Amino acid sequence: MSKPHLEEDVLVVNVVNPTAGLLAGDRVHYDVTVESGARVLLTAPSASRAHRIVEGDARVTQEFRVASGGWLESWPEMFIPQGGARYRQRTTVRVEEGGEALLIEMIAPGRTASGEVFAFTELDWETEIFLGTGKIARERYVLTPESPTLAAMRAPFPEAYYASCFVISPHLRTDAKCWQQIHDLHAEDAWVGCSALVKGGWAIRVVAAGSVALRRTVAAIRAEVYAALGKQAPGLRRN
């Protein structure tokens, strides 16, 4: 973990994997608690990678808790599943009433510069979000190169890049203009969808033709969310 620093009253924490990436048998666990009145940006300076795994898998579990009056933004760098990778990720987010969170994840199709596209063996991804005592979101998908979900993503973009965003806040109404502005980011090279969760939150999805289009769109979504909340977006300091 790099030396945390304050920027715009937000504690910016870069988490670094000291190895070349995730290998068979690797187990990584994140446990993050944001107390009332604290503001934290959890990010990473470079992409994370899962390498080829012949037997077993690599697993990451994440537990995020945000107290009432706390703010958590989690935006790691791009996740790159390499050829033959087997990867499992489980994320649980618990936000107290009055707490806020912005959660962003970006997934590449592989090492596209080397011609490796959707060559991983399996990605098993699960996210559960609780607001107060109630579950407001559950996302689960298992991707293989032959899966129908992947085929649907590749229909418009053969080398599809994907981003998943969740916004949890009591200060954004369903009719807030930022949702239309985010919807309007939909473009020829980046498709954007936005919908309200059952309570207190929103889900945003992006499928893009390439990494440049994905990064541009996700950065614009982040800017719209911060502006709507009246917050100053801290820099990521990724280099």
Side-chain angles (χ1 to χ4, degrees):
M1 189 168 66
S2 68
K3 182 179 180 180
H5 66 277
L6 282 173
E7 186 168 333
E8 304 295 344
D9 296 326
V10 176
L11 184 67
V12 180
V13 181
N14 269 286
V15 180
V16 183
N17 183 349
T19 71
L22 296 167
L23 303 170
D26 282 353
R27 301 292 184 262
V28 179
H29 179 69
Y30 294 91
D31 193 326
V32 179
T33 299
V34 180
E35 300 290 357
S36 181
R39 298 178 64 194
V40 175
L41 165 57
L42 187 66
T43 184
S46 60
S48 60
R49 294 171 172 81
H51 293 280
R52 180 179 299 276
I53 295 176
V54 178
E55 295 183 2
D57 56 30
R59 301 184 185 185
V60 172
T61 58
Q62 303 179 118
E63 296 185 29
F64 300 142
R65 290 174 294 276
V66 185
S68 179
W71 165 263
L72 170 66
E73 178 183 1
S74 175
W75 187 5
E77 250 292 357
M78 193 86 68
F79 174 73
I80 303 175
Q82 298 187 1
R86 296 176 184 271
Y87 178 77
R88 308 274 187 269
Q89 179 172 302
R90 298 290 183 266
T91 302
T92 303
V93 183
R94 299 184 183 276
V95 182
E96 291 182 0
E97 297 282 356
E100 297 176 284
L102 172 59
L103 311 166
I104 302 172
E105 291 186 305
M106 302 184 297
I107 305 175
R111 294 178 293 182
T112 55
S114 302
E116 187 180 271
V117 178
F118 297 116
F120 53 81
T121 299
E122 184 179 85
L123 299 185
D124 186 343
W125 215 279
E126 181 177 335
T127 301
E128 291 188 319
I129 301 178
F130 296 82
L131 180 58
T133 58
K135 183 186 296 185
I136 61 171
R138 184 176 189 274
E139 181 179 55
R140 172 79 190 280
Y141 50 85
V142 178
L143 296 180
T144 64
E146 302 80 20
S147 66
T149 299
L150 202 55
M153 289 174 58
R154 300 190 71 177
F157 307 122
E159 297 183 358
Y161 283 69
Y162 174 74
S164 170
C165 310
F166 288 101
V167 183
I168 312 300
S169 176
H171 304 302
L172 291 178
R173 295 168 52 90
T174 304
D175 58 357
K177 67 178 182 178
C178 71
W179 305 123
Q180 183 61 49
Q181 292 169 333
I182 289 173
H183 182 271
D184 290 344
L185 294 172
H186 186 93
E188 184 177 347
D189 60 352
W191 291 11
V192 181
C194 178
S195 60
L197 300 178
V198 66
K199 175 185 177 183
W202 289 262
I204 306 165
R205 301 290 180 267
V206 182
V207 179
S211 62
V212 173
L214 187 76
R215 291 177 187 280
R216 179 197 72 225
T217 306
V218 172
I221 290 170
R222 180 179 186 251
E224 292 288 354
V225 170
Y226 268 93
L229 291 172
K231 301 178 186 292
Q232 182 69 34
L236 297 174
R237 296 276 186 96
R238 282 180 170 163
N239 48 40

